[in-house]
Amino acid sequence: MASTMNFLCLIFFLAVIGKGMSLRCPDNDVSLQQKGTGKIVGGKPEWKLTLRTGCFCPQINVTIACNGFESVQIPDPSTFVIKDSTCLILRPVTLLDPVNIFYVADTDFGFYLLASTAKC
């Protein structure tokens, strides 16, 4: 009985791990989270936008909606580029290395994911 239970637990564990590390990650598997950093720059709060994926495969060609986005402090141009009403994330978003974008504005901005591609 104990060996059957151990076997079932092992199967469950492998299924859970396998889902996160599957080589068939979906496109658009990027989550966005924003929070204040507590810093004040030019009299306005600094915000941190974090892009994450729950998948083992990196997400590339990440584009987010940013129509009307303005910041007192320009985000790092090696990571974040504004093109028309979209913003391009120039670094891959990976499971172990989320992408952080810092900006300064009165309130957090309404960013949302437009597209990304899983590179497996």
Short mmCIF file of all heavy atoms in Angstrom, two decimals, residues 36-104:
data_model
loop_
_atom_site.label_atom_id
_atom_site.label_comp_id
_atom_site.label_asym_id
_atom_site.label_seq_id
_atom_site.Cartn_x
_atom_site.Cartn_y
_atom_site.Cartn_z
N GLY A 36 4.83 50.08 -6.62
CA GLY A 36 5.69 51.22 -6.31
C GLY A 36 6.97 50.75 -5.65
O GLY A 36 6.97 49.78 -4.89
N THR A 37 8.07 51.46 -5.95
CA THR A 37 9.36 51.11 -5.34
C THR A 37 9.59 51.84 -4.03
O THR A 37 10.49 51.48 -3.28
CB THR A 37 10.53 51.43 -6.28
OG1 THR A 37 10.60 52.86 -6.46
CG2 THR A 37 10.37 50.73 -7.62
N GLY A 38 8.81 52.90 -3.78
CA GLY A 38 9.01 53.71 -2.60
C GLY A 38 9.92 54.91 -2.84
O GLY A 38 10.02 55.79 -2.00
N LYS A 39 10.57 54.96 -4.01
CA LYS A 39 11.44 56.09 -4.35
C LYS A 39 10.61 57.22 -4.95
O LYS A 39 9.59 56.99 -5.61
CB LYS A 39 12.50 55.68 -5.37
CG LYS A 39 13.52 54.69 -4.85
CD LYS A 39 14.54 54.40 -5.94
CE LYS A 39 15.53 53.34 -5.51
NZ LYS A 39 16.46 53.01 -6.60
N ILE A 40 11.08 58.44 -4.74
CA ILE A 40 10.47 59.63 -5.35
C ILE A 40 11.52 60.26 -6.26
O ILE A 40 12.65 60.52 -5.84
CB ILE A 40 10.02 60.65 -4.28
CG1 ILE A 40 9.02 60.01 -3.31
CG2 ILE A 40 9.45 61.90 -4.92
CD1 ILE A 40 7.71 59.58 -3.93
N VAL A 41 11.14 60.50 -7.51
CA VAL A 41 12.04 61.10 -8.49
C VAL A 41 11.31 62.30 -9.10
O VAL A 41 10.24 62.15 -9.66
CB VAL A 41 12.42 60.10 -9.61
CG1 VAL A 41 13.33 60.75 -10.63
CG2 VAL A 41 13.07 58.85 -9.02
N GLY A 42 11.90 63.47 -8.97
CA GLY A 42 11.26 64.67 -9.51
C GLY A 42 9.88 64.92 -8.91
O GLY A 42 8.99 65.42 -9.59
N GLY A 43 9.70 64.54 -7.65
CA GLY A 43 8.43 64.75 -6.98
C GLY A 43 7.35 63.72 -7.30
O GLY A 43 6.22 63.86 -6.87
N LYS A 44 7.71 62.69 -8.05
CA LYS A 44 6.74 61.66 -8.44
C LYS A 44 7.24 60.29 -8.02
O LYS A 44 8.44 60.05 -7.93
CB LYS A 44 6.51 61.68 -9.95
CG LYS A 44 5.90 62.98 -10.43
CD LYS A 44 5.72 62.98 -11.94
CE LYS A 44 5.27 64.34 -12.40
NZ LYS A 44 3.90 64.35 -12.81
N PRO A 45 6.32 59.36 -7.78
CA PRO A 45 6.75 58.02 -7.36
C PRO A 45 7.34 57.20 -8.52
O PRO A 45 6.94 57.36 -9.67
CB PRO A 45 5.45 57.37 -6.86
CG PRO A 45 4.35 58.12 -7.53
CD PRO A 45 4.87 59.51 -7.77
N GLU A 46 8.30 56.35 -8.15
CA GLU A 46 8.87 55.42 -9.13
C GLU A 46 8.08 54.12 -9.06
O GLU A 46 7.69 53.66 -7.98
CB GLU A 46 10.34 55.14 -8.81
CG GLU A 46 10.98 54.18 -9.80
CD GLU A 46 12.42 53.84 -9.43
OE1 GLU A 46 12.63 53.23 -8.35
OE2 GLU A 46 13.31 54.18 -10.22
N TRP A 47 7.86 53.52 -10.22
CA TRP A 47 7.12 52.27 -10.34
C TRP A 47 8.00 51.21 -10.98
O TRP A 47 8.89 51.53 -11.79
CB TRP A 47 5.87 52.47 -11.21
CG TRP A 47 4.93 53.46 -10.63
CD1 TRP A 47 4.93 54.81 -10.83
CD2 TRP A 47 3.88 53.20 -9.71
NE1 TRP A 47 3.93 55.40 -10.10
CE2 TRP A 47 3.26 54.42 -9.41
CE3 TRP A 47 3.38 52.05 -9.12
CZ2 TRP A 47 2.19 54.53 -8.54
CZ3 TRP A 47 2.31 52.15 -8.26
CH2 TRP A 47 1.72 53.38 -7.98
N LYS A 48 7.75 49.96 -10.62
CA LYS A 48 8.46 48.84 -11.23
C LYS A 48 7.44 47.93 -11.91
O LYS A 48 6.51 47.43 -11.28
CB LYS A 48 9.24 48.05 -10.18
CG LYS A 48 9.97 46.84 -10.77
CD LYS A 48 10.90 46.17 -9.78
CE LYS A 48 10.16 45.26 -8.87
NZ LYS A 48 11.04 44.38 -8.07
N LEU A 49 7.63 47.75 -13.22
CA LEU A 49 6.84 46.80 -13.99
C LEU A 49 7.67 45.53 -14.12
O LEU A 49 8.81 45.58 -14.59
CB LEU A 49 6.53 47.38 -15.37
CG LEU A 49 5.96 46.43 -16.42
CD1 LEU A 49 4.56 45.96 -16.00
CD2 LEU A 49 5.92 47.09 -17.78
N THR A 50 7.13 44.41 -13.70
CA THR A 50 7.83 43.13 -13.79
C THR A 50 7.10 42.22 -14.76
O THR A 50 5.88 42.04 -14.65
CB THR A 50 7.93 42.45 -12.41
OG1 THR A 50 8.62 43.34 -11.52
CG2 THR A 50 8.68 41.14 -12.49
N LEU A 51 7.84 41.68 -15.71
CA LEU A 51 7.30 40.71 -16.66
C LEU A 51 7.86 39.34 -16.32
O LEU A 51 9.08 39.19 -16.18
CB LEU A 51 7.68 41.09 -18.09
CG LEU A 51 7.07 42.39 -18.61
CD1 LEU A 51 7.96 43.56 -18.30
CD2 LEU A 51 6.81 42.29 -20.08
N ARG A 52 6.97 38.36 -16.18
CA ARG A 52 7.37 37.01 -15.80
C ARG A 52 6.71 35.99 -16.72
O ARG A 52 5.66 36.26 -17.29
CB ARG A 52 6.89 36.68 -14.38
CG ARG A 52 7.59 37.39 -13.29
CD ARG A 52 7.14 36.81 -11.93
NE ARG A 52 7.96 37.31 -10.86
CZ ARG A 52 7.74 38.43 -10.20
NH1 ARG A 52 6.71 39.18 -10.50
NH2 ARG A 52 8.55 38.82 -9.24
N THR A 53 7.33 34.82 -16.79
CA THR A 53 6.71 33.68 -17.43
C THR A 53 6.76 32.51 -16.46
O THR A 53 7.70 32.41 -15.67
CB THR A 53 7.38 33.30 -18.77
OG1 THR A 53 6.66 32.22 -19.36
CG2 THR A 53 8.84 32.91 -18.59
N GLY A 54 5.77 31.66 -16.51
CA GLY A 54 5.75 30.47 -15.67
C GLY A 54 6.25 29.26 -16.42
O GLY A 54 6.14 28.14 -15.94
N CYS A 55 6.80 29.48 -17.59
CA CYS A 55 7.21 28.39 -18.46
C CYS A 55 8.73 28.30 -18.54
O CYS A 55 9.42 29.31 -18.40
CB CYS A 55 6.62 28.63 -19.84
SG CYS A 55 6.82 27.25 -20.94
N PHE A 56 9.23 27.11 -18.80
CA PHE A 56 10.67 26.89 -18.92
C PHE A 56 11.25 27.59 -20.16
O PHE A 56 12.38 28.04 -20.14
CB PHE A 56 10.94 25.39 -18.98
CG PHE A 56 12.40 25.05 -18.96
CD1 PHE A 56 13.15 25.22 -17.81
CD2 PHE A 56 13.01 24.55 -20.09
CE1 PHE A 56 14.50 24.91 -17.79
CE2 PHE A 56 14.36 24.23 -20.08
CZ PHE A 56 15.11 24.41 -18.92
N CYS A 57 10.48 27.69 -21.22
CA CYS A 57 10.95 28.31 -22.47
C CYS A 57 10.91 29.84 -22.35
O CYS A 57 9.94 30.39 -21.85
CB CYS A 57 10.08 27.91 -23.64
SG CYS A 57 10.09 26.14 -23.97
N PRO A 58 11.95 30.51 -22.85
CA PRO A 58 11.93 31.98 -22.85
C PRO A 58 10.82 32.52 -23.74
O PRO A 58 10.47 31.91 -24.75
CB PRO A 58 13.30 32.36 -23.43
CG PRO A 58 14.13 31.13 -23.36
CD PRO A 58 13.19 29.97 -23.39
N GLN A 59 10.28 33.67 -23.35
CA GLN A 59 9.32 34.39 -24.18
C GLN A 59 10.08 35.53 -24.86
O GLN A 59 10.74 36.33 -24.18
CB GLN A 59 8.18 34.93 -23.33
CG GLN A 59 7.32 33.86 -22.71
CD GLN A 59 6.37 33.22 -23.69
OE1 GLN A 59 5.79 33.87 -24.55
NE2 GLN A 59 6.19 31.91 -23.57
N ILE A 60 10.01 35.58 -26.18
CA ILE A 60 10.70 36.63 -26.96
C ILE A 60 9.66 37.43 -27.74
O ILE A 60 8.48 37.09 -27.74
CB ILE A 60 11.76 36.03 -27.90
CG1 ILE A 60 11.11 35.07 -28.90
CG2 ILE A 60 12.85 35.31 -27.10
CD1 ILE A 60 12.04 34.62 -30.01
N ASN A 61 10.13 38.48 -28.41
CA ASN A 61 9.24 39.36 -29.18
C ASN A 61 8.06 39.83 -28.33
O ASN A 61 6.92 39.84 -28.78
CB ASN A 61 8.74 38.66 -30.45
CG ASN A 61 9.86 38.18 -31.33
OD1 ASN A 61 10.87 38.86 -31.49
ND2 ASN A 61 9.72 37.00 -31.90
N VAL A 62 8.35 40.19 -27.09
CA VAL A 62 7.30 40.61 -26.17
C VAL A 62 6.91 42.05 -26.49
O VAL A 62 7.75 42.95 -26.53
CB VAL A 62 7.77 40.50 -24.70
CG1 VAL A 62 6.68 40.96 -23.75
CG2 VAL A 62 8.19 39.07 -24.39
N THR A 63 5.63 42.25 -26.72
CA THR A 63 5.10 43.60 -26.95
C THR A 63 3.96 43.84 -25.95
O THR A 63 3.15 42.95 -25.70
CB THR A 63 4.57 43.80 -28.38
OG1 THR A 63 3.58 42.83 -28.67
CG2 THR A 63 5.69 43.69 -29.40
N ILE A 64 3.96 45.04 -25.40
CA ILE A 64 2.90 45.43 -24.47
C ILE A 64 2.27 46.73 -24.94
O ILE A 64 2.92 47.53 -25.63
CB ILE A 64 3.43 45.56 -23.02
CG1 ILE A 64 4.57 46.58 -22.93
CG2 ILE A 64 3.89 44.22 -22.49
CD1 ILE A 64 5.07 46.81 -21.50
N ALA A 65 1.02 46.91 -24.60
CA ALA A 65 0.31 48.14 -24.95
C ALA A 65 0.81 49.26 -24.05
O ALA A 65 0.92 49.08 -22.84
CB ALA A 65 -1.19 47.95 -24.79
N CYS A 66 1.12 50.40 -24.66
CA CYS A 66 1.58 51.54 -23.85
C CYS A 66 1.18 52.86 -24.50
O CYS A 66 1.93 53.84 -24.43
CB CYS A 66 3.08 51.45 -23.59
SG CYS A 66 4.10 51.52 -25.06
N ASN A 67 0.02 52.89 -25.11
CA ASN A 67 -0.48 54.11 -25.74
C ASN A 67 -0.64 55.21 -24.70
O ASN A 67 -1.34 55.04 -23.72
CB ASN A 67 -1.82 53.84 -26.43
CG ASN A 67 -2.27 54.99 -27.29
OD1 ASN A 67 -1.44 55.73 -27.82
ND2 ASN A 67 -3.56 55.15 -27.44
N GLY A 68 0.05 56.32 -24.90
CA GLY A 68 -0.02 57.45 -23.98
C GLY A 68 0.95 57.37 -22.81
O GLY A 68 0.92 58.21 -21.92
N PHE A 69 1.82 56.37 -22.82
CA PHE A 69 2.77 56.21 -21.71
C PHE A 69 3.76 57.37 -21.69
O PHE A 69 4.32 57.75 -22.71
CB PHE A 69 3.53 54.89 -21.86
CG PHE A 69 4.64 54.73 -20.86
CD1 PHE A 69 4.37 54.49 -19.53
CD2 PHE A 69 5.96 54.82 -21.25
CE1 PHE A 69 5.39 54.35 -18.59
CE2 PHE A 69 6.99 54.68 -20.34
CZ PHE A 69 6.71 54.44 -19.01
N GLU A 70 3.96 57.93 -20.50
CA GLU A 70 4.97 58.97 -20.29
C GLU A 70 5.63 58.72 -18.95
O GLU A 70 5.00 58.27 -18.00
CB GLU A 70 4.32 60.36 -20.28
CG GLU A 70 3.76 60.77 -21.62
CD GLU A 70 3.15 62.16 -21.59
OE1 GLU A 70 3.21 62.84 -20.53
OE2 GLU A 70 2.58 62.57 -22.61
N SER A 71 6.92 59.03 -18.89
CA SER A 71 7.67 58.85 -17.64
C SER A 71 8.64 60.00 -17.48
O SER A 71 9.26 60.44 -18.45
CB SER A 71 8.43 57.51 -17.68
OG SER A 71 9.23 57.36 -16.54
N VAL A 72 8.79 60.47 -16.25
CA VAL A 72 9.78 61.49 -15.94
C VAL A 72 11.18 60.92 -16.15
O VAL A 72 12.08 61.59 -16.63
CB VAL A 72 9.60 61.98 -14.48
CG1 VAL A 72 10.74 62.90 -14.06
CG2 VAL A 72 8.26 62.67 -14.32
N GLN A 73 11.34 59.67 -15.81
CA GLN A 73 12.62 58.96 -15.96
C GLN A 73 12.46 57.98 -17.12
O GLN A 73 11.57 57.14 -17.12
CB GLN A 73 12.91 58.21 -14.66
CG GLN A 73 14.06 57.26 -14.70
CD GLN A 73 14.17 56.49 -13.40
OE1 GLN A 73 14.01 57.04 -12.31
NE2 GLN A 73 14.40 55.20 -13.49
N ILE A 74 13.32 58.09 -18.12
CA ILE A 74 13.22 57.22 -19.28
C ILE A 74 13.64 55.80 -18.90
O ILE A 74 14.72 55.60 -18.34
CB ILE A 74 14.11 57.74 -20.44
CG1 ILE A 74 13.63 59.13 -20.86
CG2 ILE A 74 14.09 56.78 -21.62
CD1 ILE A 74 14.54 59.83 -21.83
N PRO A 75 12.79 54.80 -19.18
CA PRO A 75 13.19 53.41 -18.90
C PRO A 75 14.43 53.02 -19.71
O PRO A 75 14.71 53.59 -20.76
CB PRO A 75 11.98 52.59 -19.34
CG PRO A 75 10.83 53.54 -19.26
CD PRO A 75 11.42 54.88 -19.65
N ASP A 76 15.16 52.04 -19.22
CA ASP A 76 16.40 51.57 -19.85
C ASP A 76 16.17 51.22 -21.32
O ASP A 76 15.45 50.27 -21.63
CB ASP A 76 16.92 50.36 -19.08
CG ASP A 76 18.22 49.80 -19.63
OD1 ASP A 76 18.73 50.31 -20.64
OD2 ASP A 76 18.72 48.83 -19.04
N PRO A 77 16.79 51.97 -22.25
CA PRO A 77 16.55 51.73 -23.68
C PRO A 77 17.15 50.42 -24.20
O PRO A 77 16.82 49.99 -25.30
CB PRO A 77 17.21 52.94 -24.36
CG PRO A 77 18.19 53.45 -23.38
CD PRO A 77 17.66 53.11 -22.02
N SER A 78 17.98 49.76 -23.41
CA SER A 78 18.49 48.45 -23.84
C SER A 78 17.48 47.34 -23.54
O SER A 78 17.65 46.21 -23.99
CB SER A 78 19.82 48.14 -23.15
OG SER A 78 19.63 47.91 -21.77
N THR A 79 16.42 47.68 -22.80
CA THR A 79 15.41 46.71 -22.43
C THR A 79 14.03 47.07 -22.94
O THR A 79 13.23 46.20 -23.27
CB THR A 79 15.34 46.59 -20.89
OG1 THR A 79 16.62 46.25 -20.39
CG2 THR A 79 14.35 45.55 -20.44
N PHE A 80 13.74 48.37 -23.07
CA PHE A 80 12.39 48.86 -23.29
C PHE A 80 12.40 49.95 -24.35
O PHE A 80 13.10 50.95 -24.20
CB PHE A 80 11.88 49.42 -21.95
CG PHE A 80 10.49 49.95 -21.92
CD1 PHE A 80 9.42 49.13 -21.63
CD2 PHE A 80 10.24 51.30 -22.14
CE1 PHE A 80 8.14 49.63 -21.55
CE2 PHE A 80 8.96 51.82 -22.06
CZ PHE A 80 7.90 50.97 -21.77
N VAL A 81 11.64 49.76 -25.44
CA VAL A 81 11.58 50.75 -26.51
C VAL A 81 10.12 51.03 -26.84
O VAL A 81 9.33 50.11 -27.02
CB VAL A 81 12.30 50.23 -27.78
CG1 VAL A 81 12.11 51.18 -28.95
CG2 VAL A 81 13.78 50.03 -27.52
N ILE A 82 9.78 52.31 -26.91
CA ILE A 82 8.43 52.72 -27.28
C ILE A 82 8.38 52.90 -28.79
O ILE A 82 9.21 53.59 -29.37
CB ILE A 82 8.04 54.04 -26.58
CG1 ILE A 82 8.09 53.87 -25.07
CG2 ILE A 82 6.66 54.49 -27.04
CD1 ILE A 82 7.93 55.16 -24.29
N LYS A 83 7.41 52.23 -29.41
CA LYS A 83 7.22 52.35 -30.86
C LYS A 83 5.73 52.54 -31.11
O LYS A 83 4.95 51.60 -30.95
CB LYS A 83 7.74 51.11 -31.57
CG LYS A 83 7.69 51.22 -33.06
CD LYS A 83 8.34 50.02 -33.71
CE LYS A 83 8.30 50.21 -35.21
NZ LYS A 83 8.92 49.09 -35.90
N ASP A 84 5.35 53.76 -31.45
CA ASP A 84 3.95 54.13 -31.64
C ASP A 84 3.18 53.87 -30.34
O ASP A 84 3.55 54.39 -29.31
CB ASP A 84 3.34 53.39 -32.83
CG ASP A 84 4.08 53.70 -34.14
OD1 ASP A 84 4.51 54.85 -34.31
OD2 ASP A 84 4.23 52.79 -34.97
N SER A 85 2.14 53.06 -30.38
CA SER A 85 1.33 52.82 -29.18
C SER A 85 1.70 51.50 -28.51
O SER A 85 1.00 51.04 -27.62
CB SER A 85 -0.15 52.81 -29.54
OG SER A 85 -0.42 51.75 -30.44
N THR A 86 2.81 50.90 -28.92
CA THR A 86 3.26 49.66 -28.29
C THR A 86 4.67 49.84 -27.74
O THR A 86 5.41 50.72 -28.15
CB THR A 86 3.27 48.47 -29.28
OG1 THR A 86 4.18 48.75 -30.33
CG2 THR A 86 1.90 48.20 -29.85
N CYS A 87 5.00 49.01 -26.79
CA CYS A 87 6.35 48.99 -26.24
C CYS A 87 6.95 47.62 -26.49
O CYS A 87 6.27 46.60 -26.32
CB CYS A 87 6.33 49.30 -24.74
SG CYS A 87 5.83 50.99 -24.39
N LEU A 88 8.19 47.61 -26.90
CA LEU A 88 8.90 46.37 -27.19
C LEU A 88 9.84 46.07 -26.04
O LEU A 88 10.58 46.94 -25.59
CB LEU A 88 9.69 46.50 -28.48
CG LEU A 88 8.94 47.04 -29.70
CD1 LEU A 88 9.90 47.26 -30.85
CD2 LEU A 88 7.82 46.10 -30.09
N ILE A 89 9.81 44.84 -25.57
CA ILE A 89 10.73 44.38 -24.54
C ILE A 89 11.87 43.68 -25.27
O ILE A 89 11.64 42.67 -25.94
CB ILE A 89 10.02 43.43 -23.54
CG1 ILE A 89 8.74 44.08 -22.98
CG2 ILE A 89 10.98 43.01 -22.43
CD1 ILE A 89 8.95 45.42 -22.29
N LEU A 90 13.06 44.22 -25.16
CA LEU A 90 14.19 43.74 -25.96
C LEU A 90 14.91 42.55 -25.36
O LEU A 90 15.72 41.93 -26.04
CB LEU A 90 15.18 44.89 -26.19
CG LEU A 90 14.57 46.13 -26.87
CD1 LEU A 90 15.61 47.22 -27.01
CD2 LEU A 90 13.97 45.77 -28.22
N ARG A 91 14.64 42.22 -24.11
CA ARG A 91 15.24 41.04 -23.46
C ARG A 91 14.22 39.91 -23.42
O ARG A 91 13.03 40.16 -23.24
CB ARG A 91 15.62 41.38 -22.02
CG ARG A 91 16.94 42.03 -21.85
CD ARG A 91 17.35 42.15 -20.37
NE ARG A 91 17.02 40.98 -19.59
CZ ARG A 91 16.58 41.03 -18.33
NH1 ARG A 91 16.44 42.18 -17.72
NH2 ARG A 91 16.30 39.92 -17.68
N PRO A 92 14.69 38.68 -23.51
CA PRO A 92 13.76 37.56 -23.32
C PRO A 92 13.26 37.53 -21.87
O PRO A 92 13.99 37.87 -20.95
CB PRO A 92 14.61 36.31 -23.59
CG PRO A 92 15.85 36.79 -24.26
CD PRO A 92 16.03 38.22 -23.87
N VAL A 93 12.02 37.13 -21.70
CA VAL A 93 11.45 36.93 -20.37
C VAL A 93 11.60 35.44 -20.07
O VAL A 93 11.09 34.60 -20.82
CB VAL A 93 9.97 37.35 -20.33
CG1 VAL A 93 9.37 37.09 -18.95
CG2 VAL A 93 9.81 38.81 -20.72
N THR A 94 12.34 35.12 -19.00
CA THR A 94 12.59 33.72 -18.69
C THR A 94 12.07 33.38 -17.30
O THR A 94 11.82 34.26 -16.48
CB THR A 94 14.09 33.38 -18.77
OG1 THR A 94 14.79 34.09 -17.74
CG2 THR A 94 14.68 33.74 -20.13
N LEU A 95 11.95 32.09 -17.05
CA LEU A 95 11.44 31.60 -15.78
C LEU A 95 12.28 32.08 -14.60
O LEU A 95 11.76 32.51 -13.58
CB LEU A 95 11.39 30.07 -15.81
CG LEU A 95 10.84 29.37 -14.57
CD1 LEU A 95 9.37 29.73 -14.36
CD2 LEU A 95 11.00 27.87 -14.71
N LEU A 96 13.59 32.04 -14.75
CA LEU A 96 14.48 32.40 -13.65
C LEU A 96 14.97 33.84 -13.70
O LEU A 96 15.67 34.29 -12.78
CB LEU A 96 15.68 31.44 -13.63
CG LEU A 96 15.32 29.96 -13.43
CD1 LEU A 96 16.58 29.10 -13.50
CD2 LEU A 96 14.59 29.75 -12.12
N ASP A 97 14.64 34.57 -14.76
CA ASP A 97 15.13 35.95 -14.90
C ASP A 97 14.02 36.85 -15.45
O ASP A 97 13.98 37.15 -16.63
CB ASP A 97 16.35 35.97 -15.83
CG ASP A 97 17.04 37.32 -15.87
OD1 ASP A 97 16.86 38.12 -14.92
OD2 ASP A 97 17.76 37.58 -16.84
N PRO A 98 13.09 37.29 -14.58
CA PRO A 98 12.04 38.19 -15.05
C PRO A 98 12.64 39.52 -15.49
O PRO A 98 13.75 39.87 -15.10
CB PRO A 98 11.14 38.36 -13.83
CG PRO A 98 11.98 38.01 -12.67
CD PRO A 98 13.02 37.04 -13.16
N VAL A 99 11.91 40.26 -16.30
CA VAL A 99 12.36 41.57 -16.78
C VAL A 99 11.70 42.64 -15.92
O VAL A 99 10.48 42.62 -15.72
CB VAL A 99 11.98 41.75 -18.27
CG1 VAL A 99 12.29 43.17 -18.72
CG2 VAL A 99 12.71 40.74 -19.13
N ASN A 100 12.51 43.56 -15.41
CA ASN A 100 12.01 44.68 -14.61
C ASN A 100 12.21 45.98 -15.38
O ASN A 100 13.30 46.24 -15.89
CB ASN A 100 12.74 44.76 -13.27
CG ASN A 100 12.42 43.59 -12.39
OD1 ASN A 100 11.28 43.25 -12.19
ND2 ASN A 100 13.46 42.95 -11.87
N ILE A 101 11.17 46.78 -15.44
CA ILE A 101 11.19 48.09 -16.08
C ILE A 101 10.83 49.11 -15.01
O ILE A 101 9.79 48.98 -14.35
CB ILE A 101 10.16 48.18 -17.24
CG1 ILE A 101 10.32 47.02 -18.23
CG2 ILE A 101 10.23 49.54 -17.91
CD1 ILE A 101 11.57 47.01 -19.02
N PHE A 102 11.65 50.14 -14.85
CA PHE A 102 11.39 51.19 -13.87
C PHE A 102 10.96 52.45 -14.60
O PHE A 102 11.56 52.83 -15.61
CB PHE A 102 12.64 51.46 -13.03
CG PHE A 102 13.04 50.29 -12.18
CD1 PHE A 102 13.91 49.32 -12.67
CD2 PHE A 102 12.53 50.14 -10.90
CE1 PHE A 102 14.27 48.23 -11.90
CE2 PHE A 102 12.88 49.05 -10.12
CZ PHE A 102 13.75 48.09 -10.62
N TYR A 103 9.93 53.10 -14.08
CA TYR A 103 9.46 54.36 -14.65
C TYR A 103 8.92 55.25 -13.54
O TYR A 103 8.65 54.78 -12.44
CB TYR A 103 8.43 54.11 -15.76
CG TYR A 103 7.12 53.53 -15.29
CD1 TYR A 103 6.02 54.35 -15.04
CD2 TYR A 103 6.96 52.16 -15.11
CE1 TYR A 103 4.82 53.82 -14.62
CE2 TYR A 103 5.76 51.62 -14.68
CZ TYR A 103 4.69 52.45 -14.44
OH TYR A 103 3.50 51.93 -14.02
N VAL A 104 8.77 56.53 -13.85
CA VAL A 104 8.32 57.51 -12.87
C VAL A 104 7.09 58.23 -13.42
O VAL A 104 7.14 58.83 -14.50
CB VAL A 104 9.44 58.53 -12.56
CG1 VAL A 104 8.95 59.61 -11.61
CG2 VAL A 104 10.67 57.82 -11.99
#
